[in-house]
Amino acid sequence: MLRRQDVGHRVVIRRIVGVRNGRPLYSDALGELVSVDETNLTVATKNGTIVVPLSEVHRAKRVPPQRRPTAADVVALELAADAAWPAPTRAKLGDWLLRSADGWTGRANSALPIGDPDRPLEAAIDAIEAWYAERGQPALVNTPLPLAAPVGAALDARGWTARPLTLLQTAPLVPLVTGDDPGVSLAKAPGDEWLEIAQARKKSLPAAARQVLTGPPEVRFASVYAGDALIAIGRGAVVGDDRRRLHVGLIEVVPAHRRRGLARKVTSALAGWAAELGASEAFLQVEEHNTAAVALYGTMGFTTHHSYLTREQPVSGGRPDAAC
């Protein structure tokens, strides 16, 4: 049977799905183990995340992984994501990062446990809980899988919960550039209308949010208008020194204008700008259950580099705005 230390690894589960002529019928699920609890196994498969009750499991085991990025590649991309979405309040716990932005988005309000925390694991988690408690926030920890699986197992033991699985996806930059589109404008700062759409998407826009959005040295805000109405937005940030990457985020099209290729045009415009700065790769974060967005990005050439879970300390009361 699978255990918590198997989280983040590739597994196969044979489940009982029925009985015919007195014999059980089986179905196999292959994917990445997301979580284990007293009653269920949760697995991210190529067709989506499934929850398998333990009562239906006939056999379950870890299997050899598909080709995975190295730990160094995962660390480098996670640090690039941090640079592209910089929390204004930051601290270090050894190599680990502690980040806060008035509760705006999970990414900017979570610890990133990569490297050595310079203390035992349990003491490191204690320090994370204390740091966020000082700021009046529930503690969040982003756990890249399977790199941070040991951290996830320790959080399981403390009763921490998990937000939906997030995919960190990458794509070669050049194919994203489909040519200049005069309908997409790029600005160095977001206008009021741009911020209004972003606020509707993220449910709030505190002062720290503007610091996150405008923090990277190289950042652009894409806008598409229909007449005087802003109908689509996007944000791009180019980060890194020797290997420059474009982070794509906040791609949003107002409902009445969706399914017209505007998200692709916004992404293309940001990619063209990034290519001029020497970037060679794009990346983004998308929740695995957002199947429409995952499918759209797949048509643009994005594939999953690795995934992560945002883990949340169990506390009474509210929590920061949920967002990847």
Side-chain angles (χ1 to χ4, degrees):
M1 181 56 67
L2 299 171
R3 296 171 291 177
R4 284 173 175 164
Q5 52 262 48
D6 297 312
V7 168
H9 292 273
R10 195 163 179 250
V11 301
V12 63
I13 298 172
R14 174 156 289 185
R15 64 189 298 188
I16 301 170
V17 294
V19 178
R20 179 181 296 167
N21 299 326
R23 295 186 177 185
L25 300 175
Y26 301 105
S27 176
D28 291 341
L30 177 67
E32 185 176 278
L33 185 64
V34 174
S35 68
V36 177
D37 59 31
E38 291 78 7
T39 56
N40 300 303
L41 301 176
T42 304
V43 183
T45 75
K46 67 178 181 179
N47 296 318
T49 298
I50 63 171
V51 178
V52 182
L54 293 180
S55 60
E56 297 179 4
V57 176
H58 176 65
R59 257 197 324 262
K61 65 179 181 179
R62 192 188 296 187
V63 296
Q66 294 176 312
R67 184 179 178 184
R68 289 185 179 273
T70 66
D73 285 341
V74 172
V75 169
L77 195 51
E78 286 289 341
L79 292 177
D82 174 69
W85 201 256
T89 302
R90 309 169 67 85
K92 296 291 289 290
L93 193 67
D95 296 328
W96 290 14
L97 298 176
L98 306 178
R99 306 171 292 189
S100 177
D102 292 346
W104 192 72
T105 75
R107 271 179 283 159
N109 290 274
S110 57
L112 182 60
I114 54 177
D116 183 359
D118 198 28
R119 66 202 69 197
L121 177 56
E122 294 297 334
I125 298 173
D126 288 340
I128 289 172
E129 291 179 348
W131 193 82
Y132 284 100
E134 290 173 1
R135 286 153 184 81
Q137 298 178 228
L140 302 177
V141 177
N142 273 7
T143 55
L145 300 173
L147 183 66
V151 178
L155 297 176
D156 284 338
R158 293 185 180 220
W160 284 47
T161 56
R163 294 184 180 181
L165 184 73
T166 299
L167 310 178
L168 203 160
Q169 299 194 317
T170 61
L173 191 71
V174 172
L176 295 174
V177 183
T178 58
D180 292 336
D181 190 325
V184 182
S185 61
L186 300 181
K188 294 183 179 181
D192 291 341
E193 292 176 295
W194 197 102
L195 291 171
E196 286 177 6
I197 293 179
Q199 180 172 348
R201 163 83 173 270
K202 295 296 187 184
K203 312 302 182 187
S204 66
L205 202 70
R210 298 183 184 230
Q211 293 178 264
V212 172
L213 290 171
T214 60
E218 298 289 351
V219 64
R220 290 294 185 272
F221 298 87
S223 300
V224 179
Y225 283 86
D228 294 330
L230 181 60
I231 60 173
I233 66 169
R235 174 190 179 271
V238 172
V239 295
D241 296 323
D242 55 342
R243 184 177 180 181
R244 295 173 73 73
R245 293 178 164 105
L246 167 68
H247 176 257
V248 178
L250 279 175
I251 304 295
E252 183 71 10
V253 179
V254 300
H257 294 270
R258 290 174 183 169
R259 301 186 182 278
R260 299 181 184 179
L262 294 179
R264 190 182 301 272
K265 289 182 179 181
V266 167
T267 303
S268 174
L270 291 169
W273 162 73
E276 294 177 356
L277 295 179
S280 60
E281 182 180 61
F283 71 98
L284 53 81
Q285 291 107 324
V286 58
E287 289 186 351
E288 189 268 347
H289 67 75
N290 188 351
T291 54
V294 172
L296 172 63
Y297 294 134
T299 66
M300 298 183 194
F302 283 93
T303 58
T304 299
H305 183 273
H306 67 273
S307 61
Y308 66 83
L309 286 170
T310 299
R311 306 300 305 272
E312 185 170 7
Q313 180 187 12
V315 294
S316 60
R319 72 180 192 182
D321 269 343
C324 68

